[in-house]
Amino acid sequence: MGKSYKVSEVSAATGVPPATLRLWEQHGLIVPSRSASGYRMYSEDDFARVHHIVRLRSQQGLNLAAIKSSLDATTQDANRPLREDPSPRLGFEIRRLRREKKLTISALAAKVDVSPSVLSTLERTSRGASVLLLRAIAEALGVTVTQLTASPHEIVEAVVRKGEGRMLPSLGKGIRIHELASGPRMMDCQEWTLAPGAASEGFYRHEGEEFIRVLQGSFEIEVDGLGLATLNEGDTIYFESQRAHSWRAVGPETCRLLWINTPPTF
């Protein structure tokens, strides 16, 4: 069983006032459990749901009724194989690199702008990861997200057959990444599979260049200086990774992408 959070911890980590959290509960957006003494306790799924609600309000301007409809549609989606399946190695690697850098949990948490409890949970359980958070952690530790999630002893194969290749640890709910090439290459070549609503949860940037081709479904991406674009099957986008970018899967079906970064700085 994952860790439970008090309303004060959720409020401090998300910036949502306790009164607003209680209002969302009244509207059925979140359903925290209760402790034996009657206090609200939020699971890691509740925590992630609060972050998602914040994004729906801030980025899409949805009202509470529209947010509930969006959340219900995502919950009922048939693509349940894309539920988070964290690898214990992710938390271990974050902890190993943090200690190698001689950083306390509090010091690293301050660098990536999350509460120490969130980072502690990530290290212990590998849960609570998101693309935005792992990008910030990787940058603070002087590595890439791919390096952060990769096994230190990968076998480099020139040919990757269908159904083979390494799956990266989950970078968040509804996100599955299949590595199409590995080793000391000049690019990251990956196939991303996103459940409807899966998102970066905010903007991030890094060195390099990126190319994305939509293989299935619909994908919305906003790039600083280029604006917001919705890409459908067969559409592509190319941009410099230094431009802040944010994305999410849109529409009712699973989204699949060919995603290439060069050099491998993601």
Side-chain angles (χ1 to χ4, degrees):
M1 182 179 295
K3 179 180 177 180
S4 294
Y5 300 89
K6 298 177 181 178
V7 64
S8 58
E9 293 177 309
V10 176
S11 177
T14 63
V16 179
T20 301
L21 292 173
R22 289 191 286 271
L23 176 63
W24 291 354
E25 181 182 350
Q26 292 172 12
H27 284 266
L29 272 64
I30 47 178
V31 187
S33 61
R34 298 277 179 164
S35 67
S37 53
Y39 290 103
R40 291 175 174 83
M41 300 302 294
Y42 296 80
S43 67
E44 290 166 357
D45 285 343
D46 294 328
F47 202 106
R49 195 172 176 92
V50 170
H51 275 294
H52 188 46
I53 295 170
V54 170
R55 183 182 62 80
L56 290 174
R57 291 182 72 199
S58 62
Q59 294 186 13
Q60 299 184 39
L62 301 185
N63 60 27
L64 294 184
I67 289 173
K68 188 174 189 306
S69 177
S70 176
L71 292 172
D72 289 344
T74 300
T75 302
Q76 295 168 6
D77 183 74
N79 298 290
R80 289 181 176 81
L82 296 184
R83 291 176 61 186
E84 184 177 11
D85 184 20
S87 164
R89 210 199 62 74
L90 175 60
F92 172 83
E93 189 66 9
I94 293 173
R95 182 168 58 252
R96 184 188 71 80
L97 289 168
R98 175 179 61 76
R99 290 175 173 174
E100 188 178 277
K101 298 286 186 181
K102 295 181 170 52
L103 291 170
T104 64
I105 285 182
S106 295
L108 181 57
K111 283 178 175 288
V112 301
D113 196 25
V114 297
S115 69
S117 63
V118 169
L119 188 57
S120 176
T121 297
L122 180 56
E123 286 193 359
R124 287 186 295 100
T125 68
S126 295
R127 292 185 178 275
S130 69
V131 172
L132 188 65
L133 176 57
L134 287 183
R135 178 61 222 165
I137 290 174
E139 184 174 1
L141 296 175
V143 297
T144 67
V145 172
T146 302
Q147 290 172 326
L148 191 64
T149 57
S151 169
H153 302 293
E154 285 296 323
I155 297 175
V156 179
E157 298 287 352
V159 177
V160 178
R161 302 293 182 186
K162 182 178 180 180
E164 298 180 351
R166 188 171 64 90
M167 298 300 296
L168 297 186
S170 174
L171 301 191
K173 289 191 175 182
I175 301 175
R176 188 168 61 202
I177 303 176
H178 180 201
E179 192 168 69
L180 304 179
S182 61
R185 310 298 194 197
M186 286 300 295
M187 62 179 67
D188 275 332
C189 302
Q190 299 165 339
E191 180 179 328
W192 288 52
T193 304
L194 307 175
S200 62
E201 305 294 348
F203 287 86
Y204 61 96
R205 69 177 79 212
H206 50 97
E207 295 299 315
E209 302 172 353
E210 300 186 40
F211 171 84
I212 303 170
R213 179 181 175 88
V214 179
L215 305 177
Q216 174 187 328
S218 297
F219 181 71
E220 184 179 89
I221 183 167
E222 184 171 0
V223 182
D224 183 34
L226 302 181
L228 180 67
T230 299
L231 308 179
N232 299 307
E233 184 175 332
D235 293 342
T236 64
I237 186 171
Y238 165 82
F239 59 94
E240 298 86 355
S241 306
Q242 294 96 330
R243 296 176 182 266
H245 45 287
S246 173
W247 50 262
R248 69 186 182 103
V250 294
E253 67 174 319
T254 296
C255 179
R256 290 194 306 116
L257 311 167
L258 173 63
W259 201 321
I260 297 173
N261 283 268
T262 181
T265 52
F266 171 71

